[in-house]
Amino acid sequence: MKAADFAYEKPDSLDAALALLADPDRDASPIAGGQSLVPMMNFRMAMPELLVDLNGLDELRGISADAGGGLRIGAMTRYSALEASDLVTERAPIIAMALPHIAHAAIRNRGTIGGSVSLADPAAEMPALMLVLDAEIEVQSAKAQRRIKADEFFTGLYETALDEGELVTAIHVPAAPSGRRFAFYELARRHGDYAMAGVAIAGTGDALEDPRIAFFSVSDRALRARGAEAALAAGDVEGAIAALDEIDFAGDLNADAKTKRHLAGVVLKRALGRL
Amino acid sequence: MSGPLTMFDTPRAYIGQPVPRADTKRLLQGRGKFIDDIQLPRMLHAAFVRSPVAHGTITGIDVEEARALPGVIAVYTGADIAPHVEPYVGVLSHLAGLRSAPQMPLAVDVTRWIGEPLVMIIAQSRAVAEDAAALVMVDIDPLDAVTDMETALDPATPVIHAEMDSNLAWERTVDVGDVDAAFARDDVTVVERRFRFGRHTGVTLETRGAVAAFDPSEDELTFWYSGQAPHMMQFIFAKHLGLPEENVRVVSQDVGGSFGIKIHTYGDEIATALAAKLLGRPVKFVADRMESFLSDIHARDHVVDGRIAVDADGRIAALAFDDITGIGPFSMYPRTSAIEANQVLNLTGAPYVMENYRANAKVVFQNKNLMCQYRAVGHPIAMAVADGLLEDAAHEIGMDVVEIRRRNLIPDDAYPTQSASGMKLDDLSHHKSLETLVDAMDYEARRAEHAKLREEGIYRGLGLISMVEVTNPSPMFYGIGGAPIASQDGATIRLDAGGGVHVSSSVTEQGQGTNAILAQIAADVFGVPIERVKVTTGDTRTTPYGGGTWASRGAGIGGEACLQAAQALRDQVLEVAAVILQSEPGKLDIKAGAVVDAEGGAERMRLSDLARTVYYRGNELPSDLKPELIATRHYRVTDFPFVFTNGAMAAEVEVDPETGFVQVLNFWAVEDCGRVINPVLVDEQVRGGVVQGIGGALYEECVYDAEGQLQNATMADYLVPMAFEMPDIVVKHVETPTKTSVLGAKGAGEAGTGGAPGAVMNAVNDALRPLGAAIHQMPMTPERVLRALGKV
Amino acid sequence: MSDTRTIRLTVNGETGSYTVPVRQNLVDFIRNDLGLTGSHVGCEHGVCGACSIEVDGDIVRGCLMFAVQADGAEITTIEGLAESDRGAALRSAFSARNALQCGYCTPGMLATALDYVEAGGAADRAAIRAHLSGNYCRCTGYQSIVDAVCDVIEGRVEA
């Protein structure tokens, strides 16, 4: 199970990386932490012609506070750095809550937030966290930079709003209003596995104003449960669970769509209990 | 104890002590010697093109592009190697009626499971071999695949082997007493259940692998492999590659887990040896993880319809069941794929007094990977069926599950006796084991606690198992049926000039601690410090002839051979010492590396002095003294087909009725493996086995789709037990030595894996009972538990 | 033919320059090119943990990094631990508890356990099990490994 052959470049600037990725003649793939890409390459399910290693790009690393009370997280910031960051715990506590559930220490030492967001694995935690945080994904191509709201970013199974040649460069987490509360709950058969169903929720104050509910591992992508949010905003927990019927549940090896539907209700209820 | 005093009536320096294994030091410093660690000059690497369809006719194979790839040395199809290999058929004469079809290392005309090797690539590196494999074009006309074992015998189902009239490989029925009459009695309560046991596989962390080297000048094959039975493989290579047996050397060094997976004949390994022979260069094949899932033998896969009748006193009036099991398209060579079903018939209900017993097993072919013997062959099915029915029956009649066992287990003073299926039983301790278990787990207190917790909406359950375990097999197991599998083992012990001792044994080391217990026995019985004992195992060129590691036989059989060889060497050394010291052998003893006075223990002569005198200065000895400082003894079990051990286990689980998740909170295992040579090693065998059993009960399953495609051939998708979810396991011992040997040791390797699944299933059902639900399908996944609860 | 690169790295204190195919993963390089076969390959897709090694002070999966990505890195393998005496207490605890049988998971397990111990982890069985939860062991059932880690943290073992 050895990766198929490829060419390798490790650019030392973002511009150089974007130029390599923009080459229309080569099937190029960026590699961030590689914790999802390399297994796919070893299985020969991914066979890029050119691997553009982003690990030399210090400019894409780091966590900084923005003046408005939010956070900027460089795309190449590793999970282990997020775990170690007081700033993350303070300004995006839901990320800190979720991190221990994401794989294992050795994986978190390499895996990056930008890699996970770009891959858009429906079972991964990070895309759902982006939705709940109302984050913006900063992306750049050789030509332009733009920001995409998380709500518009995850478009399908491993599909995102990224255009050809665009790279995720940072995550912007807006400041949470005072009294914003978060909870996270997932059901994984083994610690660190992808969940059978998981949810991240946020709401402000006792009344859970402006609630956000984002599920992962229940459908083809991380998604918000807007009907449930509306019910919750009205203080109707049972109604929120009932409203999950709106989700297009997709089964996997561990649970069919019906089971996912059931478990989605359970994780939502339990997450609410943790608020 | 009755009978004469033995060496074990006084505490021994090593036997029975928790002596650390010498091998751990090496392994903890990265100095293990596993297959992929072997690098030989000019070594090549093999990769295989495997069948992408479950059943089909091979109509063409285009290897030209692969052959042309730089770095590729050779490409072989099934047709290319057919002239060089004698086909093999996995049948044995004592399994009457068992049939299979001739098999070749690479499929020739028809492919019969997804993962069957079709083409072998030999290249300068594994990566290049894989590149070439991707360039091979195989044309296959698909045939209907038989994937559902439950319909494999239906007339409408296609027959996999054209020369046969059906997909039935083997059938056996045991019918004892009058079962129908017993079930018809009006004073009995009858419980019927359908049990399903999913397919598992071993997932040895070191995958299967081999390095084959062939020396044409001597017509000699050396085959290093990660395996359990070097002498068996020596025979197989000799027979099927046309070599004199003595020209085949098979070596097993460190083996990264085996569990029965590495005791079979795999086409890719035979092909690797053949490639080395054809090319005259060393060839390495190490299966990658996906190949392991597709080609390592699978196990279990049973559907059992069982019923039990108990009277109002809880006594078993009758037990009956029908078992169907799918084994893939062939019976595995040379052990056959009928043994598991055979053991299910032999072992179900064997702990209990039972007069009426009927069991039928049908073993069927299907287009999935082959199924064969894996740790605790047949045991988890046999134990879960009998004790699952028994516990359910206990609840039906309102009797405690411990009490119903007390009323049915064979009394501890009833031996020798036999089971309903006709198994000879001796030296067992079911009642003592059960009481030890009940005591260790604080049974009554836990029951009370569970009742209280239930009121708070917490659903916990206890499940028990009383079990037997097949160990120390005799020639009745395989040899009688014509298999090239030794049931006897040998040990050679040599006193070296420096006063150290060298043991070579035909049992092999897979991490269970064979080398350590042989050293303990040799040191103790011969009389040297354990640091002065070196052990060699796993090399057909240097060890005595024997069976290797399987069916928990290393300690009981290999250990006894070692004990006898050590005693023989001791007698020989004392004879020489008596001459040198002008004493009598009976007045001397060997202790801590020296010849001493038997009375008083005064040191008379260091063993090194004695050995040096014999080896270097024979002129000092009388000319009629012919000293032998080496002794070999062999041992086999006679009078019994196998030596049974027994045990009792219990699981405590908590079921989350909203999610279907099952957490094993506690586990207790009481094991009677006879003489315990090293308590730490036995405890760890039991614990590792229990966790493997929990894996089978809750996590592990080879999931196939209707086309015969394995859906979860990765470690991300096939769930093995990991550290976080596993409980701590309390292990207790009852020691009833077997009278079949001086050492008195039986095996301990199967117990946990054999007993834990049934215990966990009973515990889950105990927890589910107040909710009106039950589950008899393993693995008991959250989704299946939710279905049982009617939640999804 | 494979694209190659020349990398310079330090493994177990020894610095060298090596030409590697860019597609070769780090653990294959360490095993096959450097002959340090103590690190094991179990699944090649990042799940089993057998190939866990220390790169610049952090444990990583050796099968999920290409050797070329380790250019400039400092790497410690099980052989390096043994030479430096780091982890000596864990090694003796593993031996005393028989916290290994076949020994195949041991290099990765030891690296992961050492990571926990050196970070000042508590003798909390659930926390230890969580930290080890990415390392598969088929033989032991894990309990003896947890015991060994607790022995070291609670000072019951002499190195």
Side-chain angles (χ1 to χ4, degrees), chain B residues 638-666:
Chain B
T638 51
D639 304 329
F640 284 83
F642 2 79
V643 178
F644 280 98
T645 78
N646 69 282
M649 298 182 186
E652 181 180 40
V653 305
E654 183 170 316
V655 177
D656 181 337
E658 280 191 321
T659 63
F661 274 53
V662 175
Q663 174 72 41
V664 182
L665 302 172
N666 284 293

Side-chain angles (χ1 to χ4, degrees), chain A residues 1-9 31 35 38-39 41-44 51 53 55 104-107 109-110 191, chain C residues 1-3 5 22-23 28 43-46 58-61 63-66 68-69 115 130-131 133-134:
Chain A
M1 209 155 77
K2 309 295 179 192
D5 214 357
F6 53 83
Y8 174 82
E9 296 292 347
I31 179 168
Q35 303 301 285
V38 180
M41 291 176 70
N42 290 350
F43 279 117
R44 299 196 181 205
L51 203 59
D53 190 345
N55 284 280
H104 312 282
I107 303 280
N109 282 335
R110 291 291 296 173
H191 185 77
Chain C
M1 289 306 282
S2 294
D3 190 11
R5 283 282 190 291
V22 296
R23 68 153 140 175
D28 281 353
C43 75
E44 295 179 289
H45 52 282
D58 292 326
I59 48 163
V60 304
R61 302 287 205 231
C63 71
L64 297 189
M65 251 182 101
F66 295 106
V68 65
Q69 296 187 287
D115 180 57
H131 194 78
S133 65

Side-chain angles (χ1 to χ4, degrees), chain A residues 1 190-191 256 259 262 269, chain B residues 130-131 658 720 725 783:
Chain A
M1 209 155 77
R190 301 178 307 178
H191 185 77
D256 65 15
T259 300
H262 169 78
K269 195 174 74 180
Chain B
E130 288 186 25
D131 293 347
E658 280 191 321
V720 291
E725 290 74 25
E783 183 166 70

Side-chain angles (χ1 to χ4, degrees), chain B residues 394-413:
Chain B
H395 285 283
E396 288 284 320
I397 62 168
M399 185 176 284
D400 179 81
V401 299
V402 172
E403 183 55 30
I404 201 167
R405 286 185 172 83
R406 287 183 180 131
R407 294 183 184 204
N408 287 286
L409 286 167
I410 297 172
D412 289 355
D413 60 3

Side-chain angles (χ1 to χ4, degrees), chain A residues 1-5 41-45 47 104 185-197 251-263 265-267 269-270, chain B residues 126-128 130-132 134 288-290 656-661 698-700 703 711-722 724-725 779-783 786-787 791-792:
Chain A
M1 209 155 77
K2 309 295 179 192
D5 214 357
M41 291 176 70
N42 290 350
F43 279 117
R44 299 196 181 205
M45 287 160 63
M47 293 195 283
H104 312 282
Y185 195 88
E186 69 168 47
L187 284 168
R189 292 189 61 190
R190 301 178 307 178
H191 185 77
D193 279 2
Y194 283 126
M196 292 177 77
D252 57 28
L253 276 174
N254 284 311
D256 65 15
K258 200 174 165 196
T259 300
K260 294 269 188 188
R261 167 66 186 89
H262 169 78
L263 293 178
V266 174
V267 296
K269 195 174 74 180
R270 292 189 179 182
Chain B
R126 170 77 187 199
V128 170
E130 288 186 25
D131 293 347
D288 66 32
R289 186 52 66 186
M290 188 171 252
D656 181 337
E658 280 191 321
T659 63
F661 274 53
L698 298 178
Y699 296 100
E700 299 184 43
V703 180
Q711 299 292 292
N712 57 343
T714 78
M715 287 196 67
D717 296 320
Y718 181 98
L719 306 186
V720 291
M722 299 297 271
F724 188 73
E725 290 74 25
M780 293 172 278
T781 64
E783 183 166 70
L786 287 173
R787 284 186 187 139
K791 295 270 173 81
V792 298

Side-chain angles (χ1 to χ4, degrees), chain B residues 45-64:
Chain B
H45 299 263
F48 292 85
V49 177
R50 293 175 184 272
S51 178
V53 299
H55 197 192
T57 307
I58 301 166
T59 55
I61 301 180
D62 181 354
V63 301
E64 288 319 307

